Amino acid sequence: MATPTSLISTSMTDLHTAADIALSPAAAARVAAIADRQKKPAILRLSVEGGGCSGFQYRFGLAEWVDSDDSVAETNGVKLVVDSVSLDLVRGAEVDFVESLGGAAFRVNNPVAASGCGCGTSFSV
């Protein structure tokens, strides 16, 4: 299991960076607002698990730290972190925040996904 890396004592040059994942400005703003309300660091963790109606499903959550094997993308001071196993399934993806008549949600624009479900939370490769 990966050991946590302290964000306070680690510079960005020590972290794994991932130009192949991205966080949109809209998603960064939403994460910052949620993190501020919950008094947590502005770090959004994206992971992929088996399940959902299409085979794989996205999981989002606020993280307390960046693990040593995470890939990190940063937009406006907000970090998006993805573990090394999940990265292969979301390489090249952008996480966005979309508001519509149907509601508001984080959306993964994933070029690796061959198909997805109607709600956008699961996909197949």
Side-chain angles (χ1 to χ4, degrees), residues 5-27:
T5 302
S6 169
L7 291 177
I8 296 169
S9 64
T10 302
S11 71
M12 279 303 293
T13 57
D14 294 331
L15 300 174
H16 298 265
T17 58
D20 48 7
I21 59 169
L23 185 66
S24 75

Side-chain angles (χ1 to χ4, degrees), residues 41-54:
I43 305 170
L44 179 66
R45 177 168 298 282
L46 167 63
S47 60
V48 176
E49 298 176 352
C53 54
S54 296

Side-chain angles (χ1 to χ4, degrees), residues 67-78:
D67 290 331
S68 61
D69 68 339
D70 284 340
S71 293
V72 180
E74 186 168 347
T75 302
N76 300 331
V78 177

Side-chain angles (χ1 to χ4, degrees), residues 4 14-15 17 23 32 34 47 56 60 62 68 77 96-97 101 104 121:
D14 294 331
L15 300 174
T17 58
L23 185 66
I34 293 168
S47 60
F56 294 102
F60 292 102
L62 289 180
S68 61
D96 195 9
F97 184 75
L101 290 175
T121 60

Side-chain angles (χ1 to χ4, degrees), residues 46-60 82 85-91 93 107-125:
L46 167 63
S47 60
V48 176
E49 298 176 352
C53 54
S54 296
F56 294 102
Q57 57 189 357
Y58 302 112
R59 290 284 180 210
F60 292 102
V82 180
V85 174
S86 296
L87 184 61
D88 287 337
L89 296 168
V90 295
R91 192 174 307 279
R107 176 87 24 136
V108 180
N109 300 315
N110 186 354
V112 176
S115 64
C117 67
C119 66
T121 60
S122 69
F123 66 101
S124 65
V125 291

